[in-house]
Amino acid sequence: MSAKTILITGASGGIGAALARCHARAGVTLLLWGRDEERLNQTATQCRALGADCIPCLFDIRDLDDMVARLSAQDDRTPIDLAIFNAGLGGSVSKDVIAETPQRSRATAEVNFVSPVMGANLMAGAMARRGHGQIVLVGSIAESYPLPMAPTYAATKAGLAMFAEALGIRMAKHKVRVTLVSPGFVDTAMSRGVPEAKPFLMTADAAAAIITRRIARGDRRIVVPWQFAVIRAATGLLPRALVRWVLGRA
Ligand SMILES: NC(=O)c1ccc[n+]([C@@H]2O[C@H](COP(=O)([O-])OP(=O)(O)OC[C@H]3O[C@@H](n4cnc5c(N)ncnc54)[C@H](OP(=O)(O)O)[C@@H]3O)[C@@H](O)[C@H]2O)c1
């Protein structure tokens, strides 16, 4: 069954906005979440032009109780077939500072881990009761590496990857599919804030086209671009001490 009602968090920019455009067509209702009114409305206008109904919703997903209340009410009104938890906060810390601030690490953890995990658990229960649905969690290839330039970011994405795998096993008997997306470098506001080299950089539209196709196929694990799947498999064979040594000198 193709998804009729689709939630996309972080739809006001980058990968989320591109995913919204890829899913937009007649007969589809897009629930678009973000904070920046102008950019979120721009995504909605583009998706309406492609035939979709759009319900933009402006709020901060770090307000966790509000997020749960909105998601629950929205799902009661219009049952969600596909929930894409994509919103994220980048985490590269400059070499000039010794460590991340507690405030920044809290924000990163709330946006990248706590909010999507709470939202996905809520959706898992609701979809299981209906006997169908798909939950997509957007992680990062950073989930596989102890990145000294982004310790909290890497940790939130590693946690999200473990959560996606565990939830996927748990939901299998309820016919709820769980998909983890792990992008490499995608040209968005987030990656533009990263000073390091960005091998195999791809556009948000190109990444979203691949991700959308593979979500529809029901894949559990999506790495874009594919080169990062190869790199990850290869570095997985290396001694961890060597990986740490290389990253420490990067
Ligand atoms: N770009 C990459 O190279 C790359 C690589 C690996 C993984 N990813 C992952 O891909 C996902 C999308 O990233 P992107 O590159 O598209 O980033 P982006 O262009 O910076 O967009 C991030 C989105 O998340 C939303 N967001 C952030 N904090 C929020 C909050 N507190 N409340 C509500 N919405 C919030 C933003 O909304 P507003 O702008 O309206 O605040 C925006 O729509 C993230 O999970 C990221 O970790 C990206």
Side-chain angles (χ1 to χ4, degrees), residues 56-186:
C57 195
L58 281 167
F59 73 106
D60 190 328
I61 58 167
R62 289 186 61 201
D63 187 340
L64 299 166
D65 292 335
D66 185 39
M67 186 278 298
V68 166
R70 283 171 188 268
L71 184 56
S72 178
Q74 186 63 69
D75 189 64
D76 285 345
R77 275 196 300 274
T78 324
I80 296 167
D81 303 304
L82 169 62
I84 305 178
F85 295 95
N86 158 81
L89 195 56
S92 195
V93 221
S94 147
K95 278 185 182 160
D96 310 332
V97 301
I98 296 172
E100 297 165 292
T101 64
Q103 293 78 11
R104 180 69 184 183
S105 40
R106 176 179 175 170
T108 307
E110 287 178 348
V111 174
N112 293 0
F113 182 76
V114 183
S115 180
V117 163
M118 289 174 72
N121 275 326
L122 196 160
M123 287 316 307
M127 288 174 171
R129 286 189 286 279
R130 295 195 281 272
H132 70 87
Q134 187 173 7
I135 295 166
V136 176
L137 294 150
V138 179
S140 167
I141 195 69
E143 73 214 9
S144 304
Y145 300 100
L147 299 178
M149 65 293 277
T152 306
Y153 182 81
T156 59
K157 296 298 187 180
L160 198 66
M162 180 63 80
F163 170 75
E165 193 171 4
L167 186 69
I169 298 168
R170 190 175 179 90
M171 286 299 113
K173 66 172 178 284
H174 299 290
K175 304 206 171 3
V176 177
R177 180 66 96 172
V178 179
T179 297
L180 174 69
V181 180
S182 304
F185 291 108
V186 180

